[in-house]
Amino acid sequence: MINSATAVHNFIGIAPLQTEQLRNLLTLSQELAKGGGNAAYKNALANKAIVTLFYEPSTRTRSSFTLAAYRLGARTLDIAPDNSSLEKGETILDTLVSLQAMNPDLFVVRHSGNDVIKQMLARMHSPLVNAGDGSNEHPSQTLLDLLTISLHKGDISKLKIALVGDIAHSRVARSFIHAMDKLRCAELRLIGPEALLPDNFCESDVIIERDMDKGLAGVDIIMMLRIQKERIEEAKQQGGLLANPDDYFKLYGLSPKRLQLANPDALVMHPGPINRGVEISSEVADSPSSLILKQIEYGVFARMAIFLSLLDDECIKRVWG
Ligand code: NCD
């Protein structure tokens, strides 16, 4: 999405991207992952300063952005909100505008609010990258998921893909569904109980399935999702399926037996953090069918591509046209 006031590009969601732009980002990520681009871009962002500002916990995403910056020669300034002026009552927007006054080159922000990133955009003149906003979008995760799928399965248009679990509260799912609206896989199935996947969940071309065994039949990719407890009211967690991890696992957990219902060469994904024994068994998570650690590995390349598309003149032209 381009900020019309400043003509600066941002990466705040998959929804605002044109199909071609998403494809261009994926192609650049693939080049980097296959090694071709690494030497060429080693110092592409030397002297650039990137601020990361995470208002929600993160292990993978934050380190992945930081390592991506290092691999391109950039430096990062990692602000920890619990040790910043936010503790003294400053608003998030004031924090951001104050940091921006020091003229860093790019901001990476994660926040629990669904609108905060959009509000920030209006005040920014440096590029902004969304590292996950509430249950809205997690676009860099989707780029790395697409990269992982393309490297291990090839042409996405031929694949049947199932997303399983807490779809309603998942920004990972939402961004991925936006991507499939643009890139079109053969079939996208959403599997979960009504509490985590309402009947009217989305207008995209998806199949909603409550019975996991039926939903997994013949799929090529299974993407498991964590129950987003931090986004579900306490009261809703008390009753029914969510109260007991064993009950949940029985209906919506991925066990080796269930995995056999999918295609024989089906691969399993999960954005992490995984909850073993809740949505996925250890046997599956640690099996050769699991791409979980590959996703983390490729995430650095996807995030390098995002930085390059916003800060490197040649890549800006290549990706945004
Ligand atoms: C996801 C997130 O933060 O949205 N994790 C991640 O970025 N790797 C998924 C989750 O928290 O369940």
Side-chain angles (χ1 to χ4, degrees):
M1 181 186 249
I2 194 159
N3 186 331
S4 52
T6 55
V8 160
H9 289 282
N10 299 282
F11 186 72
I12 61 156
I14 299 294
L17 295 178
Q18 291 167 14
T19 303
E20 213 40 47
Q21 296 170 340
L22 179 57
R23 282 193 201 282
N24 294 342
L25 275 165
L26 182 56
T27 306
L28 183 56
S29 310
Q30 286 163 338
E31 279 176 26
L32 290 161
K34 288 176 185 163
N38 286 334
Y41 293 117
K42 200 168 157 228
N43 289 313
L45 303 188
N47 303 320
K48 302 281 185 197
I50 292 174
V51 176
T52 72
L53 196 53
F54 277 57
Y55 290 94
E56 266 194 353
S58 170
T59 309
R60 277 152 285 267
T61 305
R62 185 175 202 147
S63 355
S64 181
F65 273 115
T66 303
L67 282 172
Y70 291 170
R71 291 202 187 154
L72 297 167
R75 294 178 183 211
T76 61
L77 176 63
D78 300 318
I79 311 284
D82 55 3
N83 194 20
S84 71
S85 289
L86 210 77
E87 287 285 289
K88 300 183 187 168
E90 185 175 68
T91 69
I92 293 165
L93 286 181
D94 283 336
T95 304
L96 189 84
V97 169
S98 306
L99 290 166
Q100 185 165 240
M102 298 179 218
N103 292 314
D105 297 283
L106 184 147
F107 283 86
V108 179
V109 182
R110 167 174 283 194
H111 196 275
S112 58
N114 283 11
D115 284 326
V116 172
I117 299 280
K118 269 187 223 115
Q119 287 169 22
M120 286 179 170
L121 203 58
R123 305 285 301 273
M124 299 290 287
H125 53 74
S126 333
L128 178 62
V129 172
N130 178 0
D133 58 339
S135 57
N136 181 39
E137 282 231 37
H138 194 346
S140 67
Q141 179 70 40
T142 289
L143 188 60
L144 80 86
D145 288 339
L146 295 172
L147 176 61
T148 307
I149 294 171
S150 72
L151 293 177
H152 286 265
K153 283 282 184 196
D155 185 359
I156 205 161
S157 71
K158 298 196 170 65
L159 301 177
K160 292 184 181 170
I161 301 176
L163 309 190
V164 187
D166 186 0
I167 315 258
H169 305 98
S170 169
R171 53 195 178 204
V172 174
R174 203 163 267 104
S175 284
F176 192 81
I177 294 166
H178 286 310
M180 289 306 100
D181 284 343
K182 297 172 202 292
L183 303 183
R184 319 292 310 173
C185 59
E187 222 175 271
L188 183 60
R189 300 185 196 165
L190 308 183
I191 305 172
E194 210 187 332
L196 304 178
L197 172 62
D199 285 334
N200 59 354
F201 173 69
C202 74
E203 287 167 9
S204 300
D205 187 12
V206 297
I207 297 166
I208 290 188
E209 181 59 74
R210 308 255 170 248
D211 179 332
M212 187 168 176
D213 292 355
K214 265 203 224 155
L216 290 187
V219 299
D220 304 291
I221 295 280
I222 308 168
M223 197 185 291
M224 300 304 300
L225 298 166
R226 182 180 66 88
I227 301 173
Q228 305 279 299
K229 286 205 163 147
E230 66 276 32
R231 300 184 219 291
I232 305 176
E233 291 162 43
E234 271 304 299
K236 281 198 185 149
Q237 294 187 37
Q238 302 304 325
L241 207 52
L242 300 185
N244 184 341
D246 290 341
D247 292 347
Y248 183 82
F249 185 80
K250 264 186 217 128
L251 287 177
Y252 294 104
L254 189 59
S255 60
K257 199 164 155 233
R258 276 222 168 97
L259 180 55
Q260 285 179 3
L261 299 168
N263 270 346
D265 55 355
L267 294 173
V268 177
M269 297 171 68
H270 191 310
I274 62 173
N275 283 309
R276 292 171 185 265
V278 183
E279 72 272 5
I280 190 165
S281 71
S282 281
E283 292 94 314
V284 174
D286 303 329
S287 75
S289 308
S290 165
L291 291 176
I292 298 173
L293 292 177
K294 285 286 169 200
Q295 288 173 270
I296 299 173
E297 184 183 334
Y298 301 142
V300 178
F301 299 114
R303 290 172 176 123
M304 285 168 75
I306 293 165
F307 286 152
L308 287 169
S309 80
L310 299 174
L311 293 176
D312 177 79
D313 289 342
E314 178 213 315
C315 293
I316 293 174
K317 275 195 219 108
R318 250 186 85 174
V319 169
W320 307 104

